Amino acid sequence: MFDVIIAGCGPTGAMLAAELRLHDVRVLVLEKETEPASFVRIVSLHIRSLELMAMRGLLNRTLQHGRQRPAGGFFAAIPKPAPKSLDSAYAYLLGIPQPVIEHLLREHAIELGAQVRRGCAVAGFEQDDEGVTVELADGEQLRSRYLVGCDGGRSTVRKLLGVGFPGEPSRTETLMGEMEVGVPQEEIAAKVTEIRETHQRFWLRPFGEGVYSVVVPAAGVSDRAEPPTLEDFKQQLRTTAGTDFGVHSPRWMSRFGDATRLAERYRVGRVLLAGDAAHIHPPIGGQGLNLGVQDAFNLGWKLAAQIRGWAPETLLDTYQAERHPVAEDVLDNTRAQMELLSTEPGPQAVRRLLTELMDFDEVNRYLIEKITAIGIRYDFGEGPGLLGRRLRDIDLERGHLYGLLHRGRGLLLDRTERLTVGGWSDRVDYLADPTAELDVPCVLLRPDGHVAWIGDDQQDLDDHLSRWFGMPAN
Ligand SMILES: Cc1cc2nc3c(=O)[nH]c(=O)nc-3n(C[C@H](O)[C@H](O)[C@H](O)COP(=O)(O)OP(=O)(O)OC[C@H]3O[C@@H](n4cnc5c(N)ncnc54)[C@H](O)[C@@H]3O)c2cc1C
């Protein structure tokens, strides 16, 4: 008997397993593939995900394997630099191969005690009042108290659950890959500038060590069911740019569509969905993995609280209440970005207008905070602007805030030195620091770093501790 079985050991499943292990939850991750994926897609980790890594002590490890780049230029690939002084200690983007970030998260989960079984596909399940019986493809049955489907866009768990996945099917296909080129960089740069005046779904960008990232429309490419070939890339480059730039020696090649769908529900009884299993959208802006990992970060401590027995009655349902609207917003921003890549005169005119508008600092900042997920504010009711938002990694008398969050517990940061977490001290840490870089007296942080309360009154604090962390221990 496990507490939680997770279907799928992609980035979302691995992050969720680690978060649950911080609270000693017995976790089994079932992964259908026998080996980790070998394709080397570079993904972008945006600011909020870098903050999560810092909050769990994983950032230094992660930075060693990635390449830091400026945070700007991501919305619809409109090349505007990020505004100065973004509200984060980690205001950059990290390009990192997806298998590497998956490996780091998986190793972190295993170090914390999660069990991962490869070559095990979830094929069925049944839930009752006490738990879920999970059936594997080979007929083996396992039992757990909860099941979470982190099994990607074609999620078996979501389908078996009968949860609707409304949205739009794919209309436009794009080829994407990394390869070497056979012509000088200056020649490429001039051609790219010329073509991109009319073709926004075309890109040839140096990625270092002679390798270029290539993006080109896939229209007309042979068999959609087969992985694209180098010849497909050459043919499409010739059609779009009049030359194939002598591309050769591909590192990886893939094709993606713009299907956009969102699960109607994230929870049915003891079964939940997270990551691509709950939402799919085109990769423009590089948000999918970030969104899934952040789902896991939101869900982990809540599900752990439910299992440990101290969760307030409605806590687990705040997962859907908070994360569904975030995914809706990401889906919408990718729809908007895809429109802005169209070669039609209308969308091109909107793109030019938006490019001008982004010269206004507030517009640029708004879009960057959206893509990087640092602008998210959960609805915790009426209150000061910081309520419901995540708190940046502020300086403290001794060290930094995120250094205190590695264990995934709540934290009361008290500048008044008068308050106490009393009977919640088994779940919530306390730090008195009159020097903390805050313009409010005290903040109560949830384990995911979002501000759950602001104030200086002990009774009001106790009410909020109950709201988020249940009844105090005796
Ligand atoms: C071209 C391209 C570029 C992208 N670039 C970015 C980017 O820059 N930034 C970004 O944030 N995102 C990017 N993404 C999106 C990102 O890759 C996905 O959003 C991310 O992989 C989702 O993670 P996940 O763990 O939810 O699902 P997945 O990565 O799909 O993992 C699901 C796992 O579940 C396993 N599984 C499936 N079925 C079962 C089953 N029945 N039982 C057990 N296991 C099962 C699968 O084998 C897999 O390991 C990109 C996507 C594409 C296509």
Side-chain angles (χ1 to χ4, degrees), residues 8 11-12 30-32 41 44 98 122 276 286-290:
T12 306
L30 299 170
E31 167 55 52
K32 90 173 170 187
R41 178 161 72 220
S44 319
Q98 179 152 344
V122 170
D276 275 16
Q287 300 166 91
L289 183 150
N290 290 267

Side-chain angles (χ1 to χ4, degrees), residues 289-345:
L289 183 150
N290 290 267
L291 184 62
V293 163
Q294 290 162 30
D295 283 348
F297 211 70
N298 184 287
L299 175 60
W301 70 278
K302 295 173 181 173
L303 189 51
Q306 185 79 12
I307 284 155
R308 294 266 70 90
W310 56 258
E313 209 180 310
T314 54
L315 184 68
L316 195 52
D317 284 328
T318 65
Y319 166 58
Q320 153 146 356
E322 291 170 6
R323 297 302 300 171
H324 199 269
V326 169
E328 258 174 344
D329 194 54
V330 170
L331 263 58
D332 262 357
N333 86 47
T334 55
R335 285 184 180 108
Q337 291 184 74
M338 288 305 285
E339 286 300 313
L340 293 169
L341 299 187
S342 159
T343 50
E344 294 295 316

Side-chain angles (χ1 to χ4, degrees), residues 6-13 30-33 41-46 74 98 102 120-123 150-157 176 252 254-256 274-277 281 283 285-292:
I6 298 172
C9 199
T12 306
L30 299 170
E31 167 55 52
K32 90 173 170 187
E33 300 296 336
R41 178 161 72 220
I42 306 284
V43 290
S44 319
L45 283 191
H46 287 297
F74 261 77
Q98 179 152 344
E102 287 185 7
C120 296
V122 170
C150 299
D151 49 346
R154 297 194 169 88
S155 171
T156 303
V157 174
M176 185 176 191
W252 59 270
S254 73
R255 174 203 318 259
F256 61 87
D276 275 16
H281 56 81
Q287 300 166 91
L289 183 150
N290 290 267
L291 184 62

